């Protein structure tokens, strides 16, 4: 009896100590079952291919609210982002931006979060702040040829849509700080 009580207590402690909180998750790999994630990834690839993006060029995607931000890297054009919206189990194409260096984008008509993407050619940059807040670093190694790889690094930051952005004033991309 003591053995069963001890085992039950250990299991209770282990489950109780879990710090995973699906409500706080914004990363694409969290808050989804493996089956839902693979279906979403297939839907993303299909949508991207319908808009002339190759699936092998997708380097990352982020989910924020009802929107999926898909990042691609193509040797000729560099970093691109497509904004998709989930709508009743399907994806809807909202917009795209190609050849990104530093940009803020969002669609006031669908009230999407404002995504700010920052790239820097300066290898000394260790962090980026947007509107005084730390941006998330995304790094991927991209194979450009059989014997040539390139590390693609960029920072992203989400902010809420507001009247200034709707009027193309005070964009978050105008308030970027590079930290060495």
């Amino acid at each position: 009896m003591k053995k069963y009580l001890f085992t039950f207590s250990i299991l209770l402690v282990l489950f109780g100590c879990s710090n995973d909180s699906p409500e706080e998750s914004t990363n694409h790999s969290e808050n989804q079952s493996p089956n839902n994630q693979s279906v979403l990834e297939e839907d993303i690839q299909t949508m991207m291919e319908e808009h002339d993006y190759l699936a092998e060029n997708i380097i990352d995607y982020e989910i924020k609210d009802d929107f999926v931000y898909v990042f691609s890297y193509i040797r000729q054009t560099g970093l691109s982002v497509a904004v998709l919206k989930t709508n009743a189990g399907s994806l809807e194409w909202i917009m795209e931006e190609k050849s990104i260096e530093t940009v803020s984008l969002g669609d006031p008509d669908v009230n999407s979060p404002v995504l700010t993407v920052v790239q820097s050619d300066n290898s000394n940059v260790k962090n980026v702040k947007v509107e005084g807040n730390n941006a998330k670093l995304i790094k991927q190694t991209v194979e450009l040829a059989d014997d040539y790889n390139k590390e693609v690094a960029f920072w992203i930051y989400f902010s809420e849509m507001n009247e200034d952005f709707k009027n193309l004033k005070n964009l978050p991309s105008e308030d970027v700080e590079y930290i060495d």
Side-chain angles (χ1 to χ4, degrees):
M1 180 70 172
K2 285 183 182 181
K3 191 185 280 186
Y4 292 114
L5 185 59
F6 180 72
T7 303
F8 179 74
S9 298
I10 294 295
L11 288 174
L12 186 61
V13 168
L14 289 175
F15 286 113
C17 291
S18 174
N19 62 358
D20 293 340
S21 175
E23 297 81 37
E24 298 173 7
S25 174
T26 58
N27 190 316
H28 63 271
S29 62
E30 299 173 7
N31 200 19
Q32 295 182 25
S33 70
N35 288 341
N36 287 346
Q37 184 175 347
S38 64
V39 169
L40 177 62
E41 288 174 354
E42 289 174 14
D43 290 347
I44 290 170
Q45 289 178 0
T46 300
M47 177 66 70
M48 296 298 287
E49 288 173 354
E50 288 173 4
H51 288 86
D52 300 325
Y53 285 88
L54 298 175
E56 61 262 17
N57 293 331
I58 297 172
I59 58 174
D60 192 41
Y61 66 91
E62 298 288 321
I63 299 173
K64 180 73 173 168
D65 300 336
D66 292 336
F67 297 89
V68 181
Y69 299 82
V70 185
F71 299 94
S72 300
Y73 188 85
I74 303 170
R75 182 177 56 187
Q76 294 86 351
T77 58
L79 183 65
S80 299
V81 63
V83 181
L84 313 176
K85 183 175 184 188
T86 58
N87 190 2
S90 65
L91 291 174
E92 174 186 353
W93 184 270
I94 302 297
M95 69 172 62
E96 69 182 326
E97 185 74 29
K98 293 185 178 182
S99 303
I100 296 173
E101 289 185 23
T102 298
V103 66
S104 288
L105 65 136
D107 187 339
D109 293 333
V110 294
N111 200 30
S112 68
V114 178
L115 168 68
T116 300
V117 181
V118 179
Q119 279 196 94
S120 175
D121 292 333
N122 184 346
S123 61
N124 294 328
V125 174
K126 304 296 182 224
N127 194 13
V128 168
K129 287 190 174 190
V130 178
E131 297 181 320
N133 299 302
N134 287 326
K136 177 182 176 181
L137 173 63
I138 298 175
K139 278 187 180 182
Q140 293 288 338
T141 301
V142 178
E143 184 178 330
L144 299 177
D146 288 337
D147 58 347
Y148 181 68
N149 294 331
K150 176 180 180 172
E151 185 175 89
V152 177
F154 56 98
W155 289 264
I156 63 170
Y157 179 76
F158 290 100
S159 51
E160 297 300 315
M161 181 65 67
N162 62 43
E163 288 302 317
D164 280 349
F165 185 78
K166 290 177 183 178
N167 296 321
L168 299 177
K169 296 179 184 174
N170 301 319
L171 300 175
S173 59
E174 296 171 358
D175 188 5
V176 172
E177 177 185 357
Y178 298 93
I179 301 171
D180 295 337

